[in-house]
Amino acid sequence: QFGNLFFAIKGVLIQKEDWLLTAGTSFLLPTAEDTRVIDPFTGQEFLRIENKSTHIMPFIGGAFIPSDRLVAQWMTSTLTVIQ
Protein backbone atom coordinates (compact mmCIF):
# COMPACT_ATOMS: atom_id res chain seq x y z
CA GLN A 1 0.00 0.00 0.00
CA PHE A 2 1.23 3.48 -0.87
CA GLY A 3 1.14 5.99 2.02
CA ASN A 4 0.73 9.75 2.11
CA LEU A 5 2.99 11.82 -0.13
CA PHE A 6 5.43 14.14 1.70
CA PHE A 7 7.84 16.61 0.14
CA ALA A 8 9.75 19.69 1.27
CA ILE A 9 11.46 22.70 -0.26
CA LYS A 10 14.33 24.30 1.67
CA GLY A 11 16.87 27.02 0.98
CA VAL A 12 19.67 28.89 2.69
CA LEU A 13 18.76 32.53 3.38
CA ILE A 14 22.02 33.72 4.96
CA GLN A 15 25.36 31.94 5.24
CA LYS A 16 28.30 33.29 7.22
CA GLU A 17 31.60 31.74 8.28
CA ASP A 18 30.26 29.83 11.30
CA TRP A 19 26.45 30.03 11.09
CA LEU A 20 23.58 29.90 8.62
CA LEU A 21 19.85 30.60 8.43
CA THR A 22 17.48 28.43 6.38
CA ALA A 23 13.76 28.46 5.56
CA GLY A 24 11.31 26.41 3.60
CA THR A 25 8.00 24.61 3.64
CA SER A 26 6.86 21.02 3.57
CA PHE A 27 3.65 19.49 2.27
CA LEU A 28 1.77 16.32 3.24
CA LEU A 29 -0.78 15.22 0.65
CA PRO A 30 -3.47 12.63 1.51
CA THR A 31 -2.77 9.80 -0.94
CA ALA A 32 -3.19 6.84 1.45
CA GLU A 33 -6.42 5.01 2.18
CA ASP A 34 -8.61 5.74 5.23
CA THR A 35 -7.74 3.97 8.48
CA ARG A 36 -10.34 1.55 9.81
CA VAL A 37 -10.62 -0.16 13.20
CA ILE A 38 -12.47 -3.49 13.07
CA ASP A 39 -14.14 -5.08 16.12
CA PRO A 40 -12.41 -8.49 16.43
CA PHE A 41 -15.53 -10.17 17.87
CA THR A 42 -18.15 -8.99 15.38
CA GLY A 43 -15.97 -8.17 12.35
CA GLN A 44 -17.83 -4.87 12.01
CA GLU A 45 -16.15 -1.52 11.43
CA PHE A 46 -15.82 0.18 14.82
CA LEU A 47 -14.06 3.39 13.80
CA ARG A 48 -12.99 5.06 10.53
CA ILE A 49 -10.43 7.87 10.27
CA GLU A 50 -10.76 9.63 6.93
CA ASN A 51 -7.49 10.60 5.28
CA LYS A 52 -8.44 13.82 3.49
CA SER A 53 -6.40 16.65 5.07
CA THR A 54 -3.54 18.44 3.32
CA HIS A 55 -0.85 19.77 5.67
CA ILE A 56 1.32 22.78 4.82
CA MET A 57 4.19 23.32 7.27
CA PRO A 58 6.46 26.37 6.78
CA PHE A 59 9.65 26.36 8.84
CA ILE A 60 12.73 28.41 9.63
CA GLY A 61 15.93 27.08 11.11
CA GLY A 62 19.58 27.67 11.60
CA ALA A 63 22.90 26.18 12.55
CA PHE A 64 25.91 27.38 14.49
CA ILE A 65 29.14 25.58 13.52
CA PRO A 66 32.07 27.03 15.50
CA SER A 67 34.40 24.06 14.83
CA ASP A 68 34.58 20.68 13.11
CA ARG A 69 33.64 18.99 16.40
CA LEU A 70 30.71 21.16 17.55
CA VAL A 71 27.40 21.86 15.80
CA ALA A 72 24.23 23.40 17.25
CA GLN A 73 21.06 23.61 15.19
CA TRP A 74 17.47 24.70 15.71
CA MET A 75 14.17 24.80 13.84
CA THR A 76 10.68 26.16 14.42
CA SER A 77 7.56 25.38 12.43
CA THR A 78 3.84 25.97 12.26
CA LEU A 79 1.10 23.75 10.83
CA THR A 80 -1.78 24.68 8.52
CA VAL A 81 -4.41 22.02 7.82
CA ILE A 82 -6.65 22.26 4.76
CA GLN A 83 -9.66 19.95 4.67
Side-chain angles (χ1 to χ4, degrees), residues 15-78:
Q15 184 171 3
K16 298 293 183 178
E17 184 176 320
D18 59 355
W19 64 272
L20 60 90
L21 182 68
T22 63
T25 191
S26 58
F27 303 90
L28 181 69
L29 305 175
T31 56
E33 295 181 7
D34 294 345
T35 299
R36 301 181 314 146
V37 178
I38 306 296
D39 186 330
F41 301 109
T42 65
Q44 299 293 319
E45 184 177 289
F46 177 72
L47 174 69
R48 178 185 290 257
I49 301 171
E50 295 182 353
N51 184 28
K52 62 180 184 177
S53 297
T54 299
H55 298 120
I56 303 171
M57 299 162 279
F59 58 87
I60 187 167
F64 176 60
I65 311 163
S67 71
D68 291 341
R69 298 178 57 121
L70 179 64
V71 174
Q73 58 187 14
W74 60 272
M75 185 186 89
T76 185
S77 177
T78 184

